[in-house]
Amino acid sequence: MLDVGNDSREDYLINILRLSEGGTAVGTSALADYMGVSPGSVTEMLKVLKREGYVNYEKYRGVSLTESGYRIARDLRRKHHIMERFLTNVLDMDKDNAHEQAHIMEHAISNDAAERICRITGTNVDPDCATCTDPCTDSVSPVSISISVVEMKVGDSGIISYLSTEDGSVARKLISMGFVPGREVELTSVVSEKGARVIRLGDATLALDRNMASAIFVDVR
Amino acid sequence: MIGQPNVGKSSLFSRLTGIGVISSNYPGTTVEFDEATVTMDDVTLHFHDLPGTYSLYANSDDEKVVMDMLRDSENDVILVVADSTNLESSLVLTIEVSELGIPVIVALNKYDIASRRYDVDIDGLSRVLGVPVVPVSSKTGEGVSDLLHAIAGGSAKVSDYRVMYDGHVLKYVEELMRIDPTITWGQAIKLLEGIDLRIDSVSQEVKDRISEMSEEFIGIHKEPMNMHLARDRYGDAHIIVMEVMVRKQTEPSRKDRISEMTINPSTGIPILIAVFLAVFGILIFVGDLLATLVDDAYVAVVGSALADFGYSAGGELGEAIFTGIDSSISAILGLVIPYIMLFYILLGVLEDTGYLPRAVVLLDRSMHRLGIHGNGFIPMMVGFGCNVPAVMATRVIRSRRERLILCTIICMAIPCSAQLATITGVTGKYAGAVWVLAIFAILIALGFFSGCILNRFLKYEPSNLAMELPELQTQSVRNILKKTWLRISDFFKLAVPLLIVGSIIIELLVHYDLLDSIVEPMSWLTVTLLGLPAVTIIAFIAGILRKEMSYGMLVILAASVGIEDITLFMTAQQFIVFGIVMSIYIPCLATMTAMYRELGAKDTVLVSLASMTVAVVIGSIFNLVLSAFM
Ligand SMILES: Nc1nc2c(ncn2[C@@H]2O[C@H](COP(=O)(O)OP(=O)(O)OP(=O)(O)O)[C@@H](O)[C@H]2O)c(=O)[nH]1
Ligand SMILES: [Mg+2]
């Protein structure tokens, strides 16, 4: 966890996470636009974050999170969602207001308190808890950056983190067959490098061709 | 009856209604709905067996059948068939269906397997879902009568289960219901997922609002609403399963190892080749044995009884007619039926073990060259039985382009069981087994070329392979025999009466000296190009009605000119040409109808004409080459 008083660094990390979902590096100008700050101050902050080991950053190449930066960002976002859910579902606050409040609280609340609140609102798996078997606590455990099923090795298992594909029908088919973030998958065999992947999903075994398999991103254990 | 693919809906339907429908161990067996009525406890129940669907989404034509059924018809009760060996996934569909606000009853199928693996708290599950849950096994029949009583007794309920959806989603739902009070809660959820389950679709205002909501949602959650909703359902289903199921022990994994071997290319491909050689080997050699046995039995039982009867009933003409009937029936029974029956038994074994989907996975890459995916393999296998269900089975494929390619290959290059019987039983018997292989080789080449050519010229459409691999299982002899009978009973019910009619017509034509003048105009084709007797045109035309009729008619035609021994009627060379033309030319009437329904008139006509042309061209070439060398 970063030291107290580093809200703005944490904001950078969480926003880089939001923009880089899907695995691509984020351009500094896109980040500046998104956060509503000047490109100059973005560059300054990125240099600091790079020195501290939270991001990979090179001029003109964009920025991506390192393992430790990623962990902090996900933790923050998990807290954000827990708070937002609590404010809307339990306190019946309207969602814009809740979002703003959650934005402040995500930096302040302790792990323990977040976990307790999460238990009140129910253990529904939220985007950031996607990798957790127990969504209220698990994201403190080490996470790794998601890789696509095509990059997995036979025997690897992990938890689906997100789907990324240009083709809407592929996503729909995958969702309806149960390839949904938060579920556990294991790669049981690969027919050939370009051929089908055989995947264990829950109690079922499914085969996907390379193209479909490449749309599924998994946090491998 | 709604359920995910391969959970055993059709097996349960057969158990509930006593109506035989085909069930096999792969997803996508049923692609059209079947219906049946039973009376139980003085209540008349009308069941619909539907194609399997993973969710209420409609990705392909078979899933659309389900959506249309949900939209259009007034179902009193939805019987959700869940697979108790894969409960989590089945529960997600159960939850989706429950949300629609229609009374639901859940059949927990394959309970015979599940009860060995898990302790299941049925009452707990029923309490959580708020609907009755009845464990059944369509394999052993256990629980089926309880289920019938429960349905007849009206115990189905509208579920009050609510998924813990995201707060934003719940707000949207309320808003939609406020804008248009006729929208129900379940419909609103579906609308947010982009699916309209209402008969008359919603107003433009609602549509616009939904697209705003979707955008807003993506802005907040960074993922589309349908994914978020699915995720919430899986989250809930997972929790429910954890609560109601306890795993007893992990089974020894011999099946897993065999399954692994069938998919792993280094062992899988040799297995695949061995399986195919075995199937065709058995077909050719055991088929021959069987044919001889049946033929002997027929001669022993019927003998000259039919011909004698004909003579006593109608003199010379009567005798001629009945001799024709006698020889064609013995030809069908003795030659065609044994091969067809044997093929269906072998297909049944392949289907029920669960091997076919594994072959699909192995073959996927190689089939890309033909412009189709591994999924096409199962319709092709089914096509070796009968082209009609094969054409329908292409529904599981989303891309129209692939379906067209596949249907072309099925019609031209895949001989149906009646054609297989003609090739192996007739050409094989009278010209030698080598020629059977030669014809197969031509058909394979033909399939390959037509696939490649169509693949070149049809506009590319992306399409993907995603297939569930069912557990391997030991097959039930009962199911295989039942399926075989279902599939061949038509040959007895339709082919035999048709042959009787055909025989009468031919004899009358011969009697009044009309036959020659009728077949004469087509002799440029039969005699000049193909080198066959002019009357064979009648056999070919009969083959458009039903393929096994061709050979039956040939026998009748031979008999009509007083030739009992068919080898005196045609030479070996003629049998080869006959076999080739027979296995390629025009699909039968039923296949054309099926194609018309699936692909439309234009493509059906094109495929039929193309097959006709190709058949005549290859037949003529063979005639020329063989005349030169034989
Ligand atoms: N052990 C066991 N096997 C079953 C049971 N019910 C069905 N099966 C097997 O499961 C497989 C699928 O059965 P089908 O009835 O074809 O399934 P379906 O749901 O109609 O499948 P689709 O039409 O493809 O959606 C077959 O091999 C059946 O023999 C059961 O209660 N116990
Ligand atoms: Mg079925």
Side-chain angles (χ1 to χ4, degrees):
Chain A
M1 180 88 354
L2 295 176
D3 293 334
V4 187
N6 279 327
D7 290 9
S8 118
R9 290 184 196 190
E10 292 186 344
D11 277 344
Y12 271 87
L13 294 182
I14 195 171
N15 286 322
I16 296 169
L17 174 67
R18 281 182 184 139
L19 290 177
S20 65
E21 207 97 76
T24 49
V26 184
T28 40
S29 53
L31 188 60
D33 270 359
Y34 188 71
M35 296 182 67
V37 290
S38 71
S41 46
V42 168
T43 323
E44 280 312 303
M45 180 55 99
L46 290 182
K47 281 183 190 155
V48 176
L49 288 171
K50 182 185 178 181
R51 213 171 36 242
E52 293 173 351
Y54 297 118
V55 300
N56 306 310
Y57 169 61
E58 258 168 74
K59 233 175 169 176
Y60 310 121
R61 280 270 178 83
V63 56
S64 61
L65 294 171
T66 62
E67 185 96 15
S68 60
Y70 191 65
R71 198 178 311 162
I72 291 172
R74 281 188 87 139
D75 214 39
L76 277 169
R77 221 168 66 162
R78 184 178 62 92
K79 286 180 181 169
H80 181 97
H81 279 279
I82 289 173
M83 290 319 299
E84 202 174 68
R85 207 179 165 82
F86 177 73
L87 293 171
T88 54
N89 289 12
V90 180
L91 302 187
D92 219 20
M93 201 177 262
D94 84 74
K95 55 180 185 279
D96 291 335
N97 211 341
H99 178 72
E100 255 166 49
Q101 292 291 313
H103 178 64
I104 300 166
M105 291 158 110
E106 72 198 23
H107 302 287
I109 193 164
S110 72
N111 281 335
D112 182 46
E115 184 188 329
R116 283 162 198 261
I117 292 172
C118 179
R119 300 226 182 267
I120 296 177
T121 55
T123 48
N124 208 348
V125 186
D126 257 328
D128 295 326
C129 304
T131 58
C132 328
T133 39
D134 182 353
C136 287
T137 54
D138 253 15
S139 78
V140 250
S141 64
V143 284
S144 57
I145 292 173
S146 313
I147 58 173
S148 92
V149 169
V150 170
E151 295 162 286
M152 286 169 76
K153 283 188 283 297
V154 172
D156 278 356
S157 66
I159 287 171
I160 300 179
S161 137
Y162 58 93
L163 307 180
S164 167
T165 160
E166 301 279 285
D167 184 348
S169 70
V170 167
R172 267 165 58 136
K173 183 83 201 165
L174 287 172
I175 294 172
S176 73
M177 290 185 89
F179 290 96
V180 167
R183 298 194 78 202
E184 173 141 9
V185 289
E186 183 191 337
L187 185 68
T188 58
S189 79
V190 175
V191 172
S192 68
E193 175 44 34
K194 288 190 172 167
R197 303 304 197 262
V198 180
I199 300 160
R200 186 104 191 128
L201 175 71
D203 280 327
T205 306
L206 299 115
L208 297 178
D209 64 17
R210 194 178 196 282
N211 183 29
M212 286 204 118
S214 68
I216 305 170
F217 285 78
V218 177
D219 281 352
V220 175
R221 258 198 297 280
Chain B
M1 299 173 66
I2 289 187
Q4 296 193 319
N6 212 43
V7 298
K9 295 175 294 303
S10 300
S11 315
L12 185 59
F13 177 84
S14 296
R15 283 278 182 187
L16 287 170
T17 65
I19 301 288
V21 288
I22 306 273
S23 71
S24 304
N25 196 14
Y26 61 77
T29 310
T30 314
V31 291
E32 184 58 85
F33 68 83
D34 288 296
E35 40 193 331
T37 304
V38 275
T39 304
M40 186 73 195
D41 302 336
D42 295 327
V43 185
T44 307
L45 302 171
H46 196 69
F47 286 94
H48 292 274
D49 177 27
L50 294 178
T53 179
Y54 283 103
S55 70
L56 300 182
Y57 253 153
N59 284 303
S60 53
D61 279 3
D62 56 330
E63 293 179 339
K64 282 199 190 96
V65 174
V66 180
M67 302 294 280
D68 291 344
M69 182 65 106
L70 276 178
R71 212 184 331 254
D72 301 337
S73 81
E74 284 136 23
N75 291 294
D76 299 321
V77 173
I78 298 185
L79 172 57
V80 178
V81 186
D83 180 350
S84 52
T85 64
N86 183 9
L87 188 60
E88 193 171 315
S89 168
S90 283
L91 274 185
V92 171
L93 182 68
T94 310
I95 292 172
E96 264 192 281
V97 171
S98 301
E99 285 175 347
L100 302 179
I102 304 172
V104 164
I105 191 164
V106 177
L108 214 52
N109 197 30
K110 304 200 184 178
Y111 199 67
D112 54 319
I113 306 181
S115 58
R116 268 182 273 133
R117 292 183 195 164
Y118 309 94
D119 282 317
V120 190
D121 176 6
I122 304 279
D123 292 335
L125 184 58
S126 167
R127 229 175 305 121
V128 177
L129 294 175
V131 298
V133 175
V134 185
V136 294
S137 164
S138 319
K139 191 176 181 188
T140 64
E142 254 171 290
V144 173
S145 70
D146 294 342
L147 179 62
L148 263 179
H149 285 299
I151 300 170
S155 58
K157 275 214 207 75
V158 176
S159 165
D160 51 14
Y161 184 81
R162 284 284 180 266
V163 178
M164 269 266 260
Y165 286 124
D166 181 87
H168 295 120
V169 170
L170 297 178
K171 284 239 170 63
Y172 294 157
V173 168
E174 276 172 26
E175 190 185 330
L176 290 180
M177 289 168 72
R178 218 170 29 240
I179 300 178
D180 180 349
T182 65
I183 299 178
T184 65
W185 197 84
Q187 287 169 346
I189 290 277
K190 281 276 154 281
L191 283 169
L192 289 173
E193 286 178 273
I195 299 152
D196 192 351
L197 272 181
R198 292 157 51 90
I199 300 175
D200 30 53
S201 56
V202 291
S203 66
Q204 194 57 40
E205 185 194 354
V206 173
K207 280 184 195 152
D208 292 343
R209 190 63 194 111
I210 290 172
S211 45
E212 280 167 33
M213 288 170 174
S214 309
E215 253 171 53
E216 185 184 66
F217 190 90
I218 291 181
I220 299 167
H221 290 267
K222 305 282 172 258
E223 75 180 344
M225 223 170 339
N226 62 355
M227 193 190 293
H228 205 83
L229 290 169
R231 177 215 285 279
D232 285 339
R233 287 190 200 112
Y234 273 97
D236 275 29
H238 185 72
I239 293 169
I240 296 176
V241 170
M242 303 273 266
E243 274 170 19
V244 301
M245 266 182 150
V246 183
R247 196 174 195 101
K248 279 185 193 160
Q249 27 64 287
T250 37
E251 270 179 83
S253 57
R254 210 187 59 184
K255 261 189 205 160
D256 289 349
R257 270 207 311 282
I258 299 177
S259 168
E260 173 66 36
M261 277 169 63
T262 58
I263 309 172
N264 195 325
S266 58
T267 43
I269 291 180
I271 292 177
L272 186 69
I273 294 172
V275 166
F276 272 87
L277 289 181
V279 167
F280 284 101
I282 292 176
L283 201 60
I284 293 175
F285 295 108
V286 180
D288 184 44
L289 200 72
L290 217 60
T292 320
L293 283 178
V294 175
D295 209 31
D296 290 350
Y298 183 85
V299 172
V301 174
V302 182
S304 61
L306 271 177
D308 295 348
F309 169 78
Y311 184 73
S312 58
E316 296 259 313
L317 181 60
E319 188 185 0
I321 290 176
F322 274 85
T323 310
I325 292 175
D326 179 55
S327 40
S328 66
I329 289 179
S330 84
I332 292 272
L333 287 186
L335 259 178
V336 179
I337 298 284
Y339 287 98
I340 294 179
M341 198 175 70
L342 197 60
F343 175 78
Y344 275 129
I345 291 176
L346 294 172
L347 181 66
V349 172
L350 286 182
E351 283 178 340
D352 283 11
T353 48
Y355 180 68
L356 291 182
R358 285 157 173 89
V360 165
V361 173
L362 278 180
L363 290 170
D364 184 49
R365 283 288 301 162
S366 0
M367 286 171 71
H368 284 198
R369 228 170 286 173
L370 308 182
I372 49 184
H373 273 83
N375 315 28
F377 177 69
I378 290 180
M380 278 160 83
M381 279 309 289
V382 173
F384 280 106
C386 175
N387 287 350
V388 177
V391 166
M392 285 177 55
T394 63
R395 271 188 202 182
V396 298
I397 293 161
R398 260 189 55 240
S399 145
R400 206 196 113 82
R401 166 190 196 269
E402 279 188 31
R403 292 184 64 184
L404 177 60
I405 299 181
L406 202 53
C407 286
T408 311
I409 296 180
I410 288 170
C411 289
M412 289 224 243
I414 301 220
C416 72
S417 55
Q419 291 168 314
L420 268 178
T422 315
I423 303 171
T424 44
V426 182
T427 307
K429 184 165 173 187
Y430 301 124
V434 201
W435 293 103
V436 177
L437 294 181
I439 295 181
F440 281 156
I442 290 176
L443 291 177
I444 291 172
L446 184 61
F448 192 77
F449 281 122
S450 49
C452 287
I453 290 173
L454 285 174
N455 187 26
R456 277 297 270 283
F457 290 105
L458 291 177
K459 200 170 132 281
Y460 176 76
E461 270 175 39
S463 159
N464 294 103
L465 175 79
M467 169 150 250
E468 182 168 356
L469 302 181
E471 273 180 52
L472 292 175
Q473 62 175 22
T474 43
Q475 58 273 45
S476 111
V477 177
R478 190 177 145 271
N479 188 42
I480 292 175
L481 292 182
K482 206 183 80 188
K483 269 202 284 200
T484 306
W485 171 246
L486 266 178
R487 287 164 157 171
I488 66 173
S489 56
D490 261 10
F491 288 100
F492 295 101
K493 286 190 216 138
L494 286 176
V496 172
L498 276 176
L499 279 175
I500 293 177
V501 174
S503 177
I504 295 173
I505 295 175
I506 298 288
E507 292 306 332
L508 289 176
L509 289 177
V510 172
H511 191 73
Y512 295 106
D513 264 340
L514 289 170
L515 189 61
D516 285 342
S517 46
I518 288 179
V519 300
E520 192 48 43
M522 290 305 284
S523 67
W524 60 271
L525 176 71
T526 42
V527 181
T528 319
L529 284 178
L530 300 176
L532 298 172
V535 288
T536 48
I537 190 71
I538 290 184
F540 285 132
I541 291 172
I544 299 179
L545 284 180
R546 295 180 61 85
K547 292 292 176 190
E548 74 280 9
M549 294 275 294
S550 276
Y551 181 62
M553 287 307 280
L554 201 64
V555 175
I556 293 176
L557 290 165
S560 75
V561 290
I563 300 177
E564 288 261 344
D565 182 355
I566 191 93
T567 52
L568 298 176
F569 184 65
M570 293 208 316
T571 62
Q573 175 189 337
Q574 287 175 323
F575 274 114
I576 297 169
V577 175
F578 181 75
I580 288 175
V581 177
M582 255 301 295
S583 42
I584 303 174
Y585 91 109
I586 305 193
C588 71
L589 218 52
T591 308
M592 283 198 266
T593 317
M595 251 178 91
Y596 168 69
R597 259 186 314 176
E598 303 296 318
L599 295 174
K602 190 177 131 229
D603 290 326
T604 310
V605 171
L606 280 181
V607 172
S608 307
L609 288 182
S611 67
M612 182 75 218
T613 320
V614 171
V616 171
V617 169
I618 297 186
S620 314
I621 295 176
F622 255 72
N623 179 36
L624 278 178
V625 174
L626 289 175
S627 306
F629 291 99
M630 274 175 92

